[in-house]
């Protein structure tokens, strides 16, 4: 229990630091990500909005994010009304040394990627367990891939044949059958066997008919904040080429 409490503190610390950096001015449109870490970030955002009377508009990446925005009394919008965001904040399942991300453990990868792609700045907040030198070191559940339901089986075979490993259909825990995304699609979890050129792999997988998108976020994150076990924060920027 104490260890879990320490982890929660580290997540909150990272979220607070992230928002102090990102919300540097009023009248911003913010993309709100999904997952456990984002809960703390939205709490902090709501506090700042109330205390400083900020005018902040929030665009969610999932049903969960939408509910968080409404529960905290924040202004809810969408990409129809705000197609360009000032900043998007989200978590990650794993972050490598190049700031390449694996996302989608919670099943929201496509909407998360769309919102991140519409933002001028995409910032990641995570706890220290998500920090890796190479993808696959910490996150062992594979790369999530959202697919059209009728195509899941041939896609899983194509991915295994082309790239190795195995791509399994993600099954639900509290319902019979597979996990269904907010877009009414299925998710394959591709457990890869070796290091990859993630930019090339991401592009090639997305070209397979029936693939909606992948949980690989390549060249998208501008900065990552890691909440450390001792309560400090580690900041990482992309390497300079």
């Amino acid at each position: 229990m104490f260890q879990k409490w320490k982890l929660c503190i580290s997540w909150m610390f990272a979220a607070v630091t992230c928002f102090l950096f990102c919300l540097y001015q009023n009248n911003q449109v913010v993309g709100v990500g999904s997952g456990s870490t984002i809960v703390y970030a939205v709490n902090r955002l709501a506090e700042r909005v109330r205390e400083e009377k900020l005018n902040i508009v929030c665009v969610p990446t999932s049903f969960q994010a939408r509910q968080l925005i409404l529960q905290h009394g924040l202004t809810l919008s969408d990409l129809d009304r705000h197609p360009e965001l000032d900043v998007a904040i989200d978590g990650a399942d794993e972050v490598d040394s190049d700031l390449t991300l694996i996302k989608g453990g919670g099943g929201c990868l496509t909407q998360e990627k769309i919102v991140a792609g519409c933002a001028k700045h995409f910032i990641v907040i995570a706890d220290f367990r998500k920090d890796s030198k190479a993808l696959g070191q910490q996150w062992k559940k594979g790369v999530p891939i959202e697919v059209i339901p009728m195509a899941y089986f041939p896609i899983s075979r194509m991915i295994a044949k082309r790239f190795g490993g195995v791509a399994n259909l993600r099954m639900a825990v509290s319902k019979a059958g597979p996990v269904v995304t907010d877009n009414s699609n299925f998710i394959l979890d591709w457990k890869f066997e070796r290091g990859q050129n993630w930019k090339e792999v991401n592009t090639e997988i997305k070209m397979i008919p029936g693939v909606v998108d992948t949980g690989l976020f390549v060249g998208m994150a501008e900065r990552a904040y890691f909440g450390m076990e001792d309560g400090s924060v580690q900041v990482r920027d992309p390497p300079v080429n």
Side-chain angles (χ1 to χ4, degrees), residues 173-195:
V173 175
S174 299
K175 67 174 280 289
V179 168
V180 179
T181 71
D182 287 354
N183 307 309
S184 301
N185 295 317
F186 289 171
I187 292 180
L188 296 174
D189 289 307
W190 170 44
K191 296 183 179 179
F192 51 92
E193 296 176 333
R194 59 187 182 280

Side-chain angles (χ1 to χ4, degrees), residues 45-113:
L45 172 59
E47 288 176 3
R48 285 203 59 185
V49 168
R50 288 192 301 267
E51 293 169 359
E52 302 174 36
K53 301 189 186 312
L54 298 176
N55 177 33
I56 300 295
V57 175
C58 299
V59 176
T61 60
S62 65
F63 178 83
Q64 179 218 21
R66 182 181 185 277
Q67 294 305 104
L68 280 172
I69 292 166
L70 293 175
Q71 288 168 10
H72 286 81
L74 297 168
T75 303
L76 177 69
S77 189
D78 53 42
L79 293 177
D80 290 339
R81 286 172 286 182
H82 293 92
E84 185 176 82
L85 314 180
D86 293 295
V87 62
I89 313 293
D90 211 340
D93 298 307
E94 190 170 32
V95 184
D96 75 5
S97 58
D98 295 323
L99 287 195
T100 298
L101 317 176
I102 292 179
K103 290 180 52 57
C108 309
L109 58 136
T110 298
Q111 291 180 193
E112 288 173 340
K113 189 176 283 189

Side-chain angles (χ1 to χ4, degrees), residues 130-204:
K130 312 298 177 64
D131 182 14
S132 293
K133 290 185 178 180
L135 296 184
Q137 286 184 344
Q138 302 285 359
W139 180 253
K140 304 298 184 182
K141 297 181 180 180
V143 176
I145 301 167
E146 186 164 347
V147 300
I148 301 299
M150 68 171 291
Y152 87 87
F153 190 68
I155 291 173
S156 67
R157 295 185 64 191
M158 289 182 203
I159 289 173
K161 184 177 180 180
R162 292 188 192 181
F163 307 107
V166 60
N168 294 319
L169 181 64
R170 186 184 298 182
M171 303 304 292
V173 175
S174 299
K175 67 174 280 289
V179 168
V180 179
T181 71
D182 287 354
N183 307 309
S184 301
N185 295 317
F186 289 171
I187 292 180
L188 296 174
D189 289 307
W190 170 44
K191 296 183 179 179
F192 51 92
E193 296 176 333
R194 59 187 182 280
Q196 307 277 348
N197 182 320
W198 294 117
K199 184 176 181 180
E200 292 181 2
V201 167
N202 182 54
T203 300
E204 290 183 36

